[in-house]
């Protein structure tokens, strides 16, 4: 990735009116790349002193390095601000703009949190926004032409709709998405435990993804347990915590079987998560493979050191897979090429799982630590693990075969 504080040519305003933002053009030096120009138009009543482009993970990398200047937009003669990036043609990222008042923000954590609180989506962009939590503003989404398709992420017309109910199990809030026509007596249904369920359910409407996949025959009718884990207890729960995994295995899953007719077969049970949730999904398959036969890990935090000295004890879970008996579990693991703090560790886990003979589908997408990428990868992972070649013993209708 390279960025330049310029905009391409004098016709960019005309193109902007026709195409929307950002403007995407060819890279004259390499057909595998595109020149992507973000444009911000000031409010004439409150002009900015500068504008910071927040391209998910791309900007974060320079912020960690202590230098945000590559992401400051340049004022154009027409009164707009613009910044051009050179990005590979399969890049996908959520992004926002932060109007600077006064001096450019610093790069401390406190500075960055203030930037995130004040950042806004691109008003000139077209397409759906990516919702946010905790009072923050949604993001716009950049998807370059060769980015992986995401046909299941958005609600589609003509698809039988399931329903989501709010429940509590073992003292935990669990939003349960039931497939269209669900009847417990028609089970057993495959089941997916999705961590950080308050983001996936309330913000991202992941029930639409399950409904779309089911309608296209990519997965059988599946009950999704959206477990809320984003509160103060998240660092403890999602850190290879055996008590949390046992709670899911011994209390939440049996509860779902009793009320919603879900399967008790590990072959048709998926646990899925992102970041620390991706770490936890893989740990659940390691610790309780007789309940969690399929782990879907996205951008997993496999650097986790189990409380030991980081230099000596990092990648604890990967070392357990390397040393322990091989578990009867299958894995779908993906990570972003822009995730410089996670990519090496995910590749190491891939190598260990492959060497130990695990069934593994491993993918790298050109993006970052970003729900804009994860929502497509989640659908792909579910289709791989629960689809016609995945869930053993479960027919396309959800009934035992």
């Amino acid at each position: 990735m390279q960025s330049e504080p310029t905009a391409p040519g004098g016709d960019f305003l005309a193109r902007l009116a026709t195409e929307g933002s950002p403007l995407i053009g060819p890279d004259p030096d390499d057909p595998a790349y595109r020149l992507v120009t973000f444009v911000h138009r000031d409010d004439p009543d409150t002009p900015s002193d500068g504008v910071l482009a927040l391209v998910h993970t791309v900007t974060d990398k320079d912020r960690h390095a202590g230098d945000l200047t590559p992401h400051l937009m340049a004022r154009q003669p027409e009164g707009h601000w613009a910044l051009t990036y050179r990005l590979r043609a399969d890049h996908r990222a959520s992004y926002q703009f932060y109007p600077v008042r006064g001096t450019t923000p610093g790069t401390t954590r406190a500075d960055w949190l203030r930037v995130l609180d004040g950042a806004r989506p691109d008003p000139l962009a077209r397409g759906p926004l990516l919702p946010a939590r905790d009072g923050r503003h949604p993001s716009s989404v950049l998807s370059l032409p060769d980015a992986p398709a995401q046909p299941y992420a958005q609600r589609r017309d003509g698809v039988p709709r399931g329903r989501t109910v709010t429940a509590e199990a073992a003292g935990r809030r669990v939003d349960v998405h039931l497939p269209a026509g669900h009847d417990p007596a028609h089970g057993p249904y495959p089941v997916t435990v999705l961590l950080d369920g308050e983001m996936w359910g309330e913000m991202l409407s992941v029930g639409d993804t399950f409904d779309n996949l089911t309608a296209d025959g990519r997965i059988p009718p599946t009950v999704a347990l959206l477990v809320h884990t984003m509160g103060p207890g998240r660092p403890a729960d999602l850190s290879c915590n055996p008590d949390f995994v046992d709670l899911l295995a011994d209390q939440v899953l049996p509860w779902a079987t009793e009320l919603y007719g879900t399967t008790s077969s590990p072959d048709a049970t998926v646990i899925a998560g992102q970041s620390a949730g991706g770490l936890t999904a893989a740990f659940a398959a390691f610790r309780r493979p007789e309940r969690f036969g399929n782990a879907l890990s996205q951008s997993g935090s496999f650097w986790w050191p189990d409380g030991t000295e980081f230099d000596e004890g990092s990648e604890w879970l990967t070392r357990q897979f390397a040393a322990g008996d091989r578990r009867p579990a299958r894995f779908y693991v993906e990570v972003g090429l822009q995730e410089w703090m996670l990519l090496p560790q995910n590749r190491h886990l891939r190598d260990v799982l492959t060497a130990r003979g695990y069934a593994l589908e491993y993918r790298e997408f050109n993006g970052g630590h970003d729900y804009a990428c994860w929502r497509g990868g989640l659908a792909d992972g579910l289709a791989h693990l629960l689809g016609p070649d995945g869930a053993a013993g479960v027919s396309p209708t959800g009934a035992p075969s």
Side-chain angles (χ1 to χ4, degrees):
M1 186 281 298
Q2 296 175 346
S3 59
E4 302 173 2
T6 57
D11 65 342
F12 85 99
L13 288 182
R15 289 185 57 202
L16 197 64
T18 302
E19 302 172 22
S21 174
L23 300 174
I24 301 171
D27 179 349
D29 298 322
D30 190 339
Y33 284 78
R34 297 292 185 273
L35 299 182
V36 181
T37 299
F38 295 95
V39 180
H40 177 75
R41 183 166 54 203
D42 257 342
D43 182 341
D45 295 328
T46 57
S48 306
D49 297 309
V51 178
L52 181 65
L54 278 67
V55 182
H56 205 303
T57 306
V58 173
T59 304
D60 306 65
K61 184 174 184 179
D62 287 323
R63 197 273 297 184
H64 276 275
D67 183 12
L68 289 172
T69 55
H71 307 283
L72 288 171
M73 305 176 83
R75 189 186 293 276
Q76 303 303 306
E78 298 85 354
H80 290 63
W81 300 84
L83 177 64
T84 298
Y85 290 85
R86 179 179 181 267
L87 300 172
R88 213 170 74 178
D90 58 350
H91 199 112
R92 174 176 282 119
S94 60
Y95 72 95
Q96 296 174 307
F97 298 139
Y98 178 76
V100 176
R101 316 290 182 191
T103 59
T104 302
T107 58
T108 67
R109 177 172 174 78
D111 292 330
W112 192 242
L113 291 176
R114 283 192 291 270
V115 168
L116 295 179
D117 288 341
R120 302 290 198 278
D122 180 357
L124 302 177
R126 298 175 182 178
L129 297 176
L130 184 72
R133 294 184 70 249
D134 302 325
R136 287 183 174 154
H137 300 279
S139 299
S140 303
V141 177
L142 166 71
S143 295
L144 290 185
D146 295 341
Q150 294 186 340
Y152 302 105
Q154 303 293 336
R155 177 170 290 224
R156 293 175 1 196
D157 294 334
V159 169
R161 301 255 68 89
R163 61 189 179 95
T164 300
V165 298
T166 298
E168 183 175 299
R172 301 283 177 145
R173 166 80 178 271
V174 181
D175 298 328
V176 183
H177 184 75
L178 303 170
H182 173 266
D183 183 338
H186 295 164
Y189 289 87
V191 59
T192 294
V193 175
L194 183 52
L195 305 173
D196 293 338
E198 57 268 59
M199 183 66 190
W200 282 105
E202 297 170 358
M203 298 290 103
L204 298 176
S205 301
V206 75
D208 293 335
T209 295
F210 280 89
D211 293 341
N212 294 337
L213 287 166
T214 304
D216 282 5
R218 299 298 305 280
I219 63 172
T222 297
V223 173
L225 307 179
L226 314 181
V227 181
H228 286 219
T229 53
M230 299 187 82
R234 187 176 192 272
D237 286 341
L238 305 187
S239 56
C240 296
N241 182 340
D243 293 336
F244 177 69
V245 169
D246 290 347
L247 178 144
L248 296 176
D250 298 330
Q251 299 184 55
V252 174
L253 285 180
W255 165 84
T257 298
E258 180 178 358
L259 289 183
Y260 305 112
T262 59
T263 184
S264 59
S265 168
D267 293 332
T269 302
V270 175
I271 182 167
Q274 301 72 40
S275 193
L279 170 75
T280 300
F283 175 67
F286 178 83
R287 177 171 174 80
R288 298 296 300 273
E290 83 287 357
R291 290 305 284 119
F292 297 107
N294 300 278
L296 198 169
S297 172
Q298 298 178 276
S299 304
S301 299
F302 295 113
W303 54 264
W304 188 73
D306 190 27
T308 59
E309 290 296 328
F310 187 86
D311 289 341
E312 298 177 4
S314 63
E315 299 185 73
W316 176 85
L317 181 57
T318 300
R319 289 186 283 113
Q320 306 313 302
F321 277 114
D325 294 337
R326 184 165 66 86
R327 271 62 172 169
R330 303 167 66 238
F331 295 84
Y332 184 98
V333 176
E334 70 167 16
V335 64
L337 291 171
Q338 307 302 321
E339 299 188 87
W340 78 101
M341 299 178 73
L342 293 175
L343 184 59
Q345 292 86 352
N346 275 263
R347 287 175 172 173
H348 187 201
L349 176 70
R350 172 201 62 191
D351 294 344
V352 167
L353 292 179
T354 300
R356 296 304 314 277
Y358 281 95
L360 168 67
E361 178 72 10
Y362 177 83
R363 299 185 185 181
E364 294 178 353
F365 56 88
N366 192 12
H369 211 67
D370 194 344
Y371 282 100
C373 301
W374 291 337
R375 60 187 178 180
L378 178 68
D380 292 343
L382 290 171
H384 178 78
L385 295 172
L386 289 177
D389 297 326
V394 178
S395 74
T397 63
S401 59

